[in-house]
Every structure is written in structure tokens, then in C-alpha cells.
């Protein structure tokens, strides 16, 4: 499978970035790189850059682990000057994210806890026709300080 990248030019504001990648374990690292590159292009501070990279990699890891289908779409956007939006689109509309409380000895289940703690807000949207969605978009928004 080949990687597809896209940028979305706008008449004003910041350019958004998205890439489609195979749904493999390496996708989380690729998502981190995309977030870091986008944040560097926007000249954001290191703390925002690293938070965006961590959050999008957690969303990508969840899609790789729980979704199905050959690929996922990674999105890094800046819809406003004070926001960074990261998202991962997969083809599993019925496998929705649930914030849990992992036990002390649990070796997994902390990804969404991190997303919840580090983002201003997060959630998911079903993608496709209302009656028959083909996938979902798991997203998070981060505040960019003054």
C-alpha cells in the first residue's frame, strides 16, 4: 500500500495536513512525525508540539489495535490560532472509544486516559451515511497558549 498525503490550502489561516497509511504498528510513529512537522511549520512551542505528537500517536495506536481495514487516515490541523486538531480515521464505526480506568497492574488501557488528560476536548464522529456509517474519526483538540 502506498502512502497518500494531502494538504488543504485555505484562503486564510493555517494549512492542514493529512496522510493515509497502512494500519500497522509503525503508524503511531508516522503520526507523531506528521504532528511534529505540522507544529514546526506553524512555529508552535515545543510543549504543544510534543503534546500533539503524543495524543495523535495514542489515537493511531488505538486504531491499529482495535479497528479493522487496511489503512487509517491521520489528520493534523489548526482550525484557529488557539487550537490544534488531531484525528485518526478508521473503518470500524461500531468499535467506539471508551474512557476506562486501568488497574495498577494493567499493561494497557491508558491511551485514552492520556488523551483525556492532555487535550482540551476529545471525541469521535461516525463517518459516512447516517444509517450505514463506514468508519469513525477519533479526534482531540489542544489549546495553544498566547
Amino acid at each position: 500500500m502506498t502512502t497518500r498525503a494531502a494538504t488543504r490550502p485555505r484562503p486564510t489561516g493555517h494549512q492542514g495536513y493529512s496522510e493515509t497509511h497502512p494500519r500497522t504498528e509503525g503508524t503511531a510513529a508516522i503520526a507523531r512525525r506528521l504532528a511534529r512537522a505540522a507544529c514546526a511549520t506553524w512555529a508552535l512551542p515545543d510543549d504543544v508540539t510534543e503534546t500533539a505528537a503524543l495524543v495523535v500517536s495514542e489515537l493511531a495506536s488505538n486504531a491499529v489495535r482495535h479497528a479493522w481495514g487496511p489503512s487509517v487516515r491521520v489528520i493534523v490541523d489548526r482550525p484557529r490560532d488557539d487550537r490544534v486538531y488531531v484525528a485518526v480515521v478508521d473503518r470500524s464505526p461500531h468499535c467506539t472509544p471508551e474512557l476506562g480506568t486501568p488497574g495498577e497492574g494493567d499493561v494497557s488501557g491508558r491511551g485514552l486516559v492520556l488523551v483525556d488528560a492532555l487535550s482540551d476536548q476529545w471525541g469521535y464522529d461516525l463517518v459516512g451515511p447516517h444509517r450505514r456509517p463506514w468508519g469513525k474519526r477519533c479526534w482531540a483538540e489542544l489549546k495553544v497558549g498566547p
Side-chain angles (χ1 to χ4, degrees), residues 58 65 102-111:
E58 291 298 338
R65 183 172 183 179
E104 248 182 71
D106 292 347
V107 294
S108 65
R110 289 175 175 76

Side-chain angles (χ1 to χ4, degrees), residues 4-82:
R4 293 181 315 217
T7 59
R8 292 189 307 271
R10 297 186 177 117
T12 60
H14 303 281
Q15 186 168 340
Y17 301 88
S18 65
E19 297 177 347
T20 300
H21 293 281
R23 193 178 58 79
T24 64
E25 288 183 22
T27 301
I30 293 167
R32 281 192 299 276
R33 283 194 295 272
L34 179 62
R36 287 180 179 129
C39 290
T41 300
W42 301 323
L44 294 177
D46 289 345
D47 62 325
V48 173
T49 298
E50 290 309 309
T51 300
L54 177 58
V55 168
V56 77
S57 71
E58 291 298 338
L59 296 177
S61 293
N62 282 348
V64 167
R65 183 172 183 179
H66 300 292
W68 59 272
S71 63
V72 296
R73 185 107 183 133
V74 179
I75 301 165
V76 183
D77 204 354
R78 192 162 176 207
R80 299 190 323 247
D81 285 343
D82 67 340

